[in-house]
Amino acid sequence: MNNNILATITKLLLGVWYFTESESAFKAADWGTITPSALLKKIAIQYNADPSNLKQIDQAAFFDSLISNVDQGDAPMVENAHKIAAFYTFLKQNLSGITVVRVEGASRIPVLIAGYLPDGTCIVIETFAIET
């Protein structure tokens, strides 16, 4: 099941970009069975970050900003927003405990979207924000 979920997420994210001062693709990975508290520790270790630099963001607000804050006259941006909306719908239907974490402290900020499959497997989708 994990491979099917990852394959579907990867397919949904083809050609989708996270726009900040630059654009970044999204990449999905299976992080195995890990508790939410252990997840934050793993993120801090993986990104060499102080735990105080991990900022959790409300998932609905995060996705709403990506979907709604788009110039309706910019067809590629509108298409990207539609793809993100479809991706978010899929996540909500297939994962629980969805959380968004920013690893702050530098101008290149990892942004991780994590959620859990029914068997406890954590799926993490990574992208980057550029903020100078």
Side-chain angles (χ1 to χ4, degrees):
M1 179 170 158
N2 299 2
N3 288 340
N4 290 339
I5 295 288
L6 282 175
T8 301
I9 289 172
T10 299
K11 184 177 178 184
L12 286 169
L13 291 173
L14 279 176
V16 178
W17 298 98
Y18 180 55
F19 291 100
T20 55
E21 291 179 30
S22 185
E23 59 275 337
S24 296
F26 291 84
K27 183 176 129 187
D30 178 340
W31 278 25
T33 305
I34 186 169
T35 65
S37 60
L39 173 66
L40 292 177
K41 290 177 188 171
K42 182 173 179 172
I43 291 170
I45 291 167
Q46 183 146 336
Y47 291 93
N48 257 351
D50 187 288
S52 66
N53 286 339
L54 302 183
K55 304 296 181 205
Q56 289 186 281
I57 302 168
D58 177 72
Q59 53 135 332
F62 174 78
F63 280 100
D64 184 55
S65 71
L66 296 180
I67 296 164
S68 301
N69 296 338
V70 176
D71 176 357
Q72 294 302 311
D74 187 338
M77 294 292 283
V78 170
E79 180 183 350
N80 194 68
H82 287 295
K83 289 178 180 179
I84 290 173
F87 162 65
Y88 184 42
T89 297
F90 179 83
L91 287 185
K92 290 188 296 185
Q93 291 170 347
N94 291 279
L95 301 178
S96 64
I98 298 170
T99 186
V100 179
V101 179
R102 287 171 47 102
V103 183
E104 298 183 341
S107 59
R108 185 174 188 264
I109 301 167
V111 178
L112 304 160
I113 304 158
Y116 292 87
L117 294 171
D119 69 359
T121 300
C122 183
I123 302 296
V124 176
I125 298 94
E126 175 191 57
T127 190
F128 294 90
I130 303 297
E131 299 176 4
T132 56

